[in-house]
Amino acid sequence: MKARVHVTLKNGVLDPQGKAIQHALAALGFDGVDDVRQGKYIELDLAETDKAKAEAAVDEMCRKLLSNTVIENYAIEID
C-alpha cells in the first residue's frame, strides 16, 4: 500500500518560510498572492495490506516522528 502524508502548520502559527516564498513571488512579478503557507509531503510504501491497519500505523508514525503535533496538522491518504 502507498501512504501519502501532508503536513502543514496549524492556523495561527507563524510561517516565515511561507512569507519568504510570498515575497520572492512578488519580486518575480507574481502579484496578487495574498498569503503562502508551506508544508511537507511524505510518501511511504507499506507492506501492510489491511487499509485500517496501515492508516493506524501511519497515524502513529505522524504522532511520533513525521509531524510536530503541537504546531502542525497532518492528513493521511492510503491507496
Side-chain angles (χ1 to χ4, degrees):
M1 301 195 99
K2 187 168 294 251
R4 293 174 186 83
V5 180
H6 297 269
V7 181
T8 56
L9 289 170
K10 290 182 177 181
N11 289 334
V13 176
L14 295 177
D15 186 355
Q17 190 172 4
K19 285 292 179 199
I21 294 167
Q22 180 183 4
H23 288 124
L25 289 171
L28 291 171
F30 295 101
D31 297 326
V33 179
D34 294 330
D35 192 29
V36 176
R37 305 282 289 172
Q38 66 85 37
K40 298 183 278 189
Y41 171 75
I42 303 162
E43 196 170 276
L44 305 162
D45 286 320
L46 306 171
E48 182 61 62
T49 57
D50 182 275
K51 187 173 182 175
K53 287 181 182 179
E55 188 164 359
V58 174
D59 184 67
E60 187 174 358
M61 292 175 201
C62 289
R63 286 185 282 111
K64 289 186 174 182
L65 177 68
L66 301 178
S67 74
N68 177 348
T69 57
V70 174
I71 62 169
E72 294 175 321
N73 292 319
Y74 60 89
I76 301 168
E77 299 173 31
I78 304 282
D79 314 322

